[in-house]
């Protein structure tokens, strides 16, 4: 009998709360191992922040790299992480991740609709650190034709407006490069014209883009796999409280449009509700400079998973090096009056742009990781002042590489100047005044930067000194792909403030993704994956893809553990019933 006030009752083996990478990975894995799985999603649309993401997954030793001839043993990424993570390095959890990540990739590509492409040329962020990889440690979901989802396409979250072109997702690598070079190469033009032409047809027929790439391809492929395996996907159904039997978690109550539904889950519950990027109270407690903070995560990621865990004795680990996965963000005034948030991922690395504070001074190697740019900004701005910086370049730079959401030639920049998104000056001093930057400071900085940049050097911050820097630069710019002078006006600038892809601080778990209580013991039946779980990277950002790689991997670990799996199906010819414990 349902409890009082509860209008429905469902029985299953595993309940997954949240439909991003962490949740869907757990759901598909458990369903493939023959569990009856229900996914509860708070929103009408499935996919969470994962559907808005770049989709890269850091998965060292993955089979795609091996097939491409990149052979390394586990010691290399472990050494790298030991150095980068410092005193936040948790050997047991890092090893669990490194051992399971390649198996996770092999599992999905062998048994499900989730197929991958390799990031063979993507280096780790800190190339100077022992064990750093120079390529092959990342994978991304292969592009997916949304028509493969059938009716499920209508329940798939739409991609992020700011990072798409009229709703079309563009993938880092050859795809993006083609769009950046449409006016330079006939091949690039043909590729871009073909993609865009098809997109226009999709918009006319389906009212949305159907060539899914990046994070939305990952979600699309996971949803196809989940549907194939009979996973029940319940949208508009937030989990509001966990059910316990003795000390064990055995389900949750969902608030659905039809009333509260009690879901009994005999093997337990996976929390994968996307962390707390929109929980102002917890952010205020844990984030530096919260007032200026602009998160890029979906609005429904309000910290429910952490609260649900805490209500049954789970602990939030607030000791990480940083509580969030930072990214510099600019505010975009759209013509319809709404304000967008643009993540500055690509242009900071190109030759001919610098980042400066209100004093006009540079403060970091702008081509380093997005997380590092924000960390440097937080360190450099004196307390009590607004944490902000300006990316400064020439008009020629903007036309070549783009600046924030203002895309390069042949797309017009005028609307962004008129809206005030891009500030303009005929001289550096005029630009500084338009931004509210100290004009003398900026003139001095640009003169000093240019003196060395003409020789391709950056003695102040070493732009172009790491493989990561160089991979994001422009190989045609010699001698340094990341350094060029800023000389001929007009000059452009855009203001950026601290933002985040999501949160790093989260629920404490063990190597099996089980949520731990105050005494460090696993709470029976309760798992966490994705950003609900305290990041295995300890609040550091050693490489692109360190959110989704662990989200997919610990989701996979949780799904297997809940199914009682004791052997790896990819190690031999074991069938799914043979690997069951
Ligand atoms: C622009 C952008 C680019 C990015 N690129 C990358 C990248 O390339 N690589 C990388 O590693 N990371 C990237 N990230 C970060 C990455 O996307 C996130 O860390 C990741 O998607 C989080 O996955 P998740 O499964 O934890 O949560 P999500 O994908 O956010 O899913 C959580 C889901 O839970 C739902 N939910 C919330 N509360 C409840 C509740 N009470 N009941 C039921 N459901 C609930 C939410 O609605 C949401 O759908 C990027 C982020 C952004 C914004």
């Amino acid at each position: 009998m349902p409890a009082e006030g509860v209008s429905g009752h469902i029985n299953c083996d595993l309940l997954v709360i949240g439909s991003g990478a962490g949740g869907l990975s757990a759901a598909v894995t458990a369903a493939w191992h023959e569990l009856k799985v229900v996914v509860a999603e708070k929103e009408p649309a499935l996919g969470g922040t994962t559907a808005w993401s770049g989709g890269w997954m850091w998965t060292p030793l993955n089979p795609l790299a091996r097939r491409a001839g990149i052979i390394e043993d586990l010691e290399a990424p472990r050494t790298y992480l030991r150095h980068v993570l410092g005193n936040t390095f948790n050997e047991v959890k890092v090893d669990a991740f490194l051992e399971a990540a390649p198996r996770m990739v092999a599992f999905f590509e062998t048994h499900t609709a989730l197929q991958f492409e390799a990031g063979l040329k993507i280096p780790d962020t800190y190339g100077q650190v022992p064990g750093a990889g120079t390529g092959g440690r990342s994978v991304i979901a292969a592009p997916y034709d949304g028509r493969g989802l059938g009716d499920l396409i209508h329940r798939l979250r739409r991609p992020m407006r700011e990072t798409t072109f009229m709703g079309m997702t563009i993938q880092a690598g050859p795809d993006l490069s083609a769009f950046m070079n449409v006016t330079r190469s006939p091949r690039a033009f043909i590729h871009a014209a073909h993609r865009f032409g098809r997109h226009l047809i999709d918009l006319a027929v389906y009212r949305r883009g159907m060539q899914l790439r990046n994070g939305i391809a990952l979600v699309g492929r996971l949803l196809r796999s989940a549907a194939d395996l009979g996973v029940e996907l319940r949208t508009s159904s937030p989990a509001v409280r966990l059910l316990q039997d003795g000390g064990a978690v055995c389900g949750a109550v969902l608030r659905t449009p039809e009333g509260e539904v009690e879901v009994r889950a005999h093997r337990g519950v996976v929390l994968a509700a996307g962390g707390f990027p929109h929980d102002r109270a917890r952010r205020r407690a844990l984030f530096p400079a919260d007032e200026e903070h602009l998160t890029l995560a979906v609005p429904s990621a309000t910290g429910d998973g952490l609260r649900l865990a805490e209500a049954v004795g789970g602990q939030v680990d607030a000791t990480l090096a940083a509580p969030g996965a930072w990214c510099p963000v600019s505010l975009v005034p759209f013509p319809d009056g709404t304000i967008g948030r643009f993540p500055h991922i690509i242009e900071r690395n190109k030759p001919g742009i610098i980042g400066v504070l209100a004093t006009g001074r540079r403060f970091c190697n702008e081509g380093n990781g997005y997380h590092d740019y924000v960390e440097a900004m937080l360190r450099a701005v004196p307390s009590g002042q607004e944490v902000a910086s300006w990316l400064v370049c020439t008009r020629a730079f903007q036309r070549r590489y783009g600046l924030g959401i203002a895309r390069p030639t042949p797309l017009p920049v005028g609307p962004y100047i008129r809206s005030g998104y891009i500030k303009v000056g005929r001289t550096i001093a005029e630009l500084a005044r338009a931004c509210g930057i100290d004009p003398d400071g900026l003139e001095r900085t640009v003169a000093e930067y240019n003196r060395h940049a003409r020789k391709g050097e950056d003695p102040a911050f070493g732009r172009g000194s790491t493989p990561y820097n160089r991979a994001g630069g422009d190989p045609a710019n010699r001698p340094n792909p990341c350094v060029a002078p800023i000389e001929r006006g007009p000059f452009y600038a855009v203001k950026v403030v601290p933002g985040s892809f999501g949160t790093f601080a989260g629920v404490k778990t063990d190597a099996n993704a089980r949520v731990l209580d105050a005494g460090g013991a696993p709470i029976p039946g309760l798992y966490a994956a994705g950003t609900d779980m305290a990041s295995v990277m300890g609040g550091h950002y050693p490489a692109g893809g360190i959110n989704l790689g662990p989200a997919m991997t610990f989701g996979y670990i949780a799904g297997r553990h809940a199914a009682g799996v004791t052997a790896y199906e990819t190690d031999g010819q074991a069938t799914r019933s043979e690997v069951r414990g």
Side-chain angles (χ1 to χ4, degrees), residues 74-363:
L74 195 136
E75 202 43 45
R78 182 196 276 142
T79 301
Y80 178 63
L81 291 181
R82 187 180 293 119
H83 279 85
V84 177
L85 272 51
N87 60 8
T88 65
F89 180 81
N90 177 328
E91 184 155 7
V92 176
K93 280 180 69 176
V94 166
D95 280 0
F97 166 66
L98 291 175
E99 272 159 23
R103 294 183 155 113
M104 177 278 289
V105 174
F107 165 79
F108 279 100
E109 68 171 4
T110 309
H111 299 299
T112 77
L114 176 50
Q115 303 297 304
F116 302 92
E117 286 183 354
L120 298 177
K121 292 187 181 152
I122 303 177
D124 292 341
T125 312
Y126 308 111
Q128 69 284 13
V129 170
T134 52
R137 289 183 179 173
S138 316
V139 296
I140 189 168
Y144 188 59
D145 184 338
R147 285 172 291 201
L149 283 173
D151 280 350
L152 254 183
I153 189 73
H154 304 300
R155 299 167 74 196
L156 173 64
R157 180 178 279 281
R158 285 171 186 270
M160 192 178 182
R161 177 179 182 183
E162 292 85 339
T163 55
T164 56
F165 180 61
M166 290 175 66
M168 181 172 63
T169 40
I170 296 176
Q171 185 175 328
D175 190 41
L176 174 63
S177 172
F179 281 92
M180 300 272 287
N181 288 294
V182 277
T183 55
R184 279 182 184 74
S185 137
R187 247 178 97 175
F189 177 81
I190 290 167
H191 174 90
H194 179 258
R195 288 260 282 121
F196 188 56
R198 219 197 107 184
H199 181 67
L200 290 178
I201 295 170
D202 287 341
L203 287 183
V205 177
Y206 301 100
R207 310 223 154 269
R208 65 177 295 160
M210 297 296 268
Q211 306 170 72
L212 310 183
R213 293 191 178 225
N214 307 336
I216 200 162
L218 175 62
V219 175
R221 286 180 172 278
L222 284 167
L223 287 179
R224 178 69 269 154
S225 311
D228 291 344
L229 290 161
V231 172
E232 187 179 336
L233 300 162
R234 296 185 70 101
T235 41
S236 303
S237 301
V240 289
R241 59 185 179 277
L242 294 176
L243 301 171
Q244 282 181 289
D245 191 358
V249 172
C250 60
V253 173
L254 313 182
R255 190 178 298 134
T256 77
E258 296 77 39
E260 291 202 337
V261 171
E262 202 176 83
V263 182
R264 291 262 157 203
H266 311 293
R267 300 287 185 117
V269 173
V270 181
L271 300 172
F276 65 98
H278 287 280
D279 178 348
R280 280 308 293 272
R282 205 183 292 270
R283 252 174 45 186
R284 232 177 258 132
L286 298 182
F287 275 30
D290 183 56
E291 290 316 311
E292 288 97 17
H293 186 90
L294 298 176
T295 186
L296 299 156
V298 291
S300 55
T302 52
D304 295 359
L306 276 62
R307 279 191 296 275
L308 290 169
E310 284 174 330
V312 297
Q315 308 291 306
V316 170
D317 188 352
T319 65
L320 279 63
W326 308 141
C327 178
V329 173
S330 54
L331 279 174
V332 186
F334 284 122
D336 63 6
T338 58
I339 303 287
R341 296 170 175 203
F342 187 86
H344 288 257
I345 299 172
I346 292 166
E347 90 280 60
R348 287 176 297 105
N349 238 333
K350 304 292 183 208
I353 189 167
I354 53 173
V356 298
L357 304 172
T359 56
R361 294 179 55 179
R362 288 176 71 204
F363 58 98

Side-chain angles (χ1 to χ4, degrees), residues 17-23 40-43 45 47-57 157 160 163 237-240 272-275 296-298 300-302 304 308 343 345 500-502 529-532 541 544-549 551:
I17 297 174
S19 65
E41 166 56 51
K42 182 179 188 173
E43 294 276 279
T49 303
T50 306
W52 283 3
S53 75
W56 286 99
M57 295 164 260
R157 180 178 279 281
M160 192 178 182
T163 55
S237 301
V240 289
L296 299 156
V298 291
S300 55
T302 52
D304 295 359
L308 290 169
I345 299 172
S500 67
F501 293 125
T531 41
D532 275 358
Y541 220 119
I546 54 83
N547 306 297
L548 290 172

Side-chain angles (χ1 to χ4, degrees), residues 566-567 573-581:
T566 54
Q573 298 306 312
T575 65
R576 52 183 101 170
S577 43
E578 280 163 358
V579 295
R580 293 280 295 275

